[in-house]
Amino acid sequence: MSRDDETATVGTADAAPAPSVRKRRPLSRLAFLVFGLLVALYLGTLRPQEQHVRVVLGAGAPEVTAVDLEYVAADGEIAREAHFAYPAGAAPRVVAHEPQLPNGEYRLQIEVDARGGRRGIQRQVTLGGGSTQVDVSSALAREP
């Protein structure tokens, strides 16, 4: 066996494992990238984002002079408040509010000032980036 033959044999033995190591690197990089993307998506849902809440006053809207909203988080803390005041007879049938809140469960406390007095309504809502509608028209209906 000549010296050139030994070099060729040694070089061939060393080159064989290299392709399997190279195949593992792209797979591990891809797995790491997918993991990072999943973590980023999860953390993105925890940050406040614009929510769309519609409070339906319905036919009782002309009686309404003010609407107060409180978004109470699961831990009992008030996450957001809003106050809407209207001249007599000018309240819209649907009050629109776009608070910046993280997705999740909230207790929405609604206080409505109307000619017949102040009414308090509570609703459990799930905010998830879409539109949420809360109908309070039945609470505004005049009692006989």
Side-chain angles (χ1 to χ4, degrees):
M1 193 179 222
S2 72
R3 185 173 173 101
D4 292 333
D5 291 338
E6 284 180 20
T7 305
T9 305
V10 172
T12 306
D14 290 338
S20 63
V21 171
R22 288 184 183 158
K23 286 181 183 177
R24 289 182 191 161
R25 283 186 182 165
L27 290 177
S28 64
R29 287 180 183 168
L30 180 63
F32 184 73
L33 181 64
V34 168
F35 176 75
L37 182 63
L38 291 174
V39 169
L41 288 173
Y42 173 73
L43 292 176
T45 63
L46 299 179
R47 68 176 175 80
Q49 54 188 305
E50 186 173 274
Q51 308 290 343
H52 302 279
V53 178
R54 307 291 179 258
V55 178
V56 179
L57 302 177
E63 303 291 319
V64 174
T65 57
V67 177
D68 292 310
L69 303 175
E70 281 186 354
Y71 298 86
V72 181
D75 62 1
E77 294 290 322
I78 296 174
R80 186 77 62 227
E81 295 179 303
H83 175 77
F84 302 92
Y86 306 101
R93 291 178 64 89
V94 177
V95 176
H97 187 230
E98 283 80 26
Q100 292 286 327
L101 291 169
N103 293 340
E105 296 282 329
Y106 294 90
R107 187 176 70 242
L108 180 57
Q109 295 182 197
I110 306 164
E111 297 286 330
V112 179
D113 287 333
R115 290 187 191 150
R118 186 169 179 93
R119 293 172 181 90
I121 302 118
Q122 289 188 18
R123 297 286 194 274
Q124 192 70 25
V125 296
T126 301
L127 302 179
S131 184
T132 303
Q133 183 169 304
V134 180
D135 189 351
V136 298
S137 60
S138 60
L140 297 176
R142 292 184 182 255
E143 296 178 17

